[in-house]
């Protein structure tokens, strides 16, 4: 059953928590979000181990906050390892520091006190009913732990928008699995089976939103510190995927989630029935997508498949121009 999507403009800013494992594309996503205060009210950034270890993803999230000039946004560190499996990192793509192409330093402002998981529990259990959106740009460990600790937090969540999975597109960490799902498939299952309203932006769509020389030149033409950093990060980050897939440009996966939240009309998808494979072996972390939904079986996630790629890069360059 092909459907949708509503492209309705947001009236009041969306109350948003960004859960992330920066990560090159996570940093681009964070800068895009921080430059979009009219649409997004970022309540907090929560970090998780993923692309690199937790201390580095937490440092990189604070660096992004510093670069975005949004020191009022708290950054909470979360899970240092997946629910059950051994940690898996993506240093081959994001570099040893998790942020290729730019120099990293210890940011002036530290982490917020307390753990990301407890922050999620406290915030979501006291929030107005279905009022807070979560953008999950890495493994879903933090939200899974919060749901296990306090299932009633579901009431506070409006929607969870995930970067993850692959169906038509092959996997990027195994032949069939996308990194964020492979890094903690058990966590993804906890979130999926909670019944929370879920939207996935899988590789199927993020591999359609590719950089090109012209798009990198468009970003460079903004010519402020933020855009220069983004171009330096992307030039270093996209190499691996361009070589691997023989593509003319590289994906900026996590930025697509933020672009979707700011301007959903740039994207389209449909309701599908999703299962996450957790069997040990070759298929661990694979997302199994059944497109044949019906009124009786309406599906459990919205699966985004198409995007106006140039529209996403126009949005990114316009918003970066608002930063220093
Ligand atoms: C996802 O995996 C990570 O390496 C990226 O940051 C992105 O969230 C893409 O598969
Ligand atoms: Ca990520």
């Amino acid at each position: 059953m092909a459907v949708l999507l509503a492209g309705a403009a947001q009236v009041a800013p969306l109350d948003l928590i960004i859960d992330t494992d920066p990560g090159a594309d996570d940093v681009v996503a964070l800068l895009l979000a921080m430059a979009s205060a009219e649409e997004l009210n970022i309540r907090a950034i929560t970090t998780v181990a993923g692309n690199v270890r937790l201390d580095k993803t937490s440092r990189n999230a604070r660096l992004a906050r510093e670069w975005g000039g949004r020191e009022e946004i708290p950054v909470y560190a979360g899970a240092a390892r997946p629910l059950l499996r051994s940690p898996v990192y993506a240093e081959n793509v994001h570099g040893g520091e998790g942020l290729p192409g730019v120099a990293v330093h210890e940011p002036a402002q530290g982490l917020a006190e307390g753990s990301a998981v407890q922050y999620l529990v406290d915030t979501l259990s006291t929030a107005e009913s279905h009022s807070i959106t979560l953008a999950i740009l890495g493994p879903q460990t933090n939200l899974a732990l919060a749901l296990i600790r306090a299932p009633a937090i579901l009431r506070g969540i409006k929607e969870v928008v995930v970067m993850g999975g692959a169906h038509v597109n092959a996997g990027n960490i195994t032949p069939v699995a996308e990194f964020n799902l492979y890094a903690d498939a058990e966590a993804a299952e906890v979130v999926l089976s909670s019944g929370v309203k879920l939207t996935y932006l899988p590789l199927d769509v993020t591999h359609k939103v590719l950089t090109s020389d012209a798009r990198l030149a468009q970003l460079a033409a903004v010519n402020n510190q933020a855009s220069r950093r983004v171009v330096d990060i992307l030039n270093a980050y996209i190499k691996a995927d361009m070589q691997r897939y023989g593509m003319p440009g590289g994906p900026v996966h996590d930025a697509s989630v933020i672009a979707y939240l700011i301007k959903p009309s740039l994207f389209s998808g449909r309701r599908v029935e999703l299962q996450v494979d957790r069997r040990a072996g070759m298929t661990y972390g694979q997302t199994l997508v059944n497109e044949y939904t019906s009124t009786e079986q309406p599906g459990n996630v919205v699966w985004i498949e198409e995007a106006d790629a140039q529209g996403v890069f126009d949005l990114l360059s316009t918003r970066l121009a608002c930063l220093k």
Side-chain angles (χ1 to χ4, degrees):
M1 181 169 66
V3 219
L4 53 139
L5 290 179
Q10 195 65 33
V11 185
L14 208 64
D15 264 331
L16 181 68
I17 297 170
I18 305 178
D19 189 66
T20 177
D21 64 335
D25 55 327
D26 301 76
V27 167
V28 179
L30 287 169
L31 290 172
L32 174 60
M34 288 187 287
S36 304
E38 213 172 286
E39 294 90 355
L40 307 178
N41 174 29
I42 308 172
R43 300 273 298 257
I45 297 169
T46 54
T47 62
V48 66
N51 286 317
V52 284
R53 282 191 337 237
L54 180 68
D55 57 333
K56 293 187 179 183
T57 61
S58 302
R59 190 258 335 265
N60 293 346
R62 289 182 294 123
L63 265 180
R65 173 179 65 178
E66 188 174 288
W67 293 338
R70 296 289 305 274
E71 299 286 7
E72 81 283 3
I73 300 171
V75 176
Y76 292 89
R81 47 175 304 121
L83 288 191
L84 298 177
R85 64 155 299 150
S86 327
V88 46
Y89 303 115
E91 286 162 340
N92 56 327
V93 179
H94 296 262
E97 295 303 320
L99 201 42
V102 288
V104 296
H105 63 264
E106 177 59 26
Q109 195 170 320
L111 287 165
E113 257 181 55
S115 89
V117 176
Q118 195 57 43
Y119 168 79
L120 290 174
V121 168
D122 295 344
T123 306
L124 297 172
S125 57
T126 52
E128 268 179 42
S129 177
H130 304 298
S131 62
I132 298 192
T133 300
L134 274 95
I136 305 192
L137 313 181
Q140 298 172 44
T141 322
N142 285 337
L143 180 58
L145 286 168
L147 283 164
I148 291 165
R149 198 175 288 179
I153 62 171
L154 215 53
R155 219 185 110 268
I157 302 176
K158 180 176 182 189
E159 183 178 9
V160 178
V161 183
V162 163
M163 191 283 127
H167 170 49
V168 174
N169 205 96
N172 63 356
I173 178 101
T174 73
V176 293
E178 179 280 329
F179 177 80
N180 290 337
L181 271 283
Y182 181 78
D184 199 345
E186 283 75 19
E189 174 60 24
V190 170
V191 174
L192 184 65
S193 60
S194 73
V196 75
K197 187 176 175 203
L198 259 176
T199 296
Y200 265 67
L201 281 87
L203 298 182
D204 300 4
V205 68
T206 64
H207 275 224
K208 290 176 180 162
V209 184
L210 301 178
T211 63
S212 65
D213 290 347
R215 287 170 182 166
L216 289 168
Q218 177 184 359
L219 295 173
V222 173
N223 200 22
N224 59 11
Q225 283 185 41
S227 77
R228 283 194 288 274
R229 281 195 185 105
V230 165
V231 170
D232 289 346
I233 291 168
L234 289 180
N235 273 325
Y237 173 61
I238 60 180
K239 275 189 217 143
D241 274 345
M242 287 172 68
Q243 275 167 10
R244 178 171 176 195
Y245 297 104
M247 296 190 300
V252 198
H253 309 281
D254 296 337
S256 286
V257 168
I258 302 300
Y260 170 76
L261 292 171
I262 298 170
K263 206 171 173 190
S265 59
L266 292 173
F267 296 85
S268 64
R270 59 174 129 183
R271 289 199 69 81
V272 302
E273 188 67 31
L274 175 69
Q275 287 182 18
V276 179
D277 198 327
R278 293 159 347 266
R279 289 171 297 182
M282 285 281 281
T283 59
Y284 178 85
Q286 181 176 11
T287 42
L288 300 155
V289 170
N290 179 4
E291 298 164 20
Y292 302 101
T293 54
S294 61
T295 318
E296 295 76 44
Q297 284 207 311
N300 53 0
V301 308
V302 171
W303 189 258
I304 302 295
E305 300 169 305
E306 297 294 338
D308 169 355
Q310 186 54 45
V312 173
F313 281 92
D314 289 345
L315 180 70
L316 179 58
S317 52
T318 313
R319 296 306 163 93
L320 288 180
C322 304
L323 297 176
K324 281 196 186 142

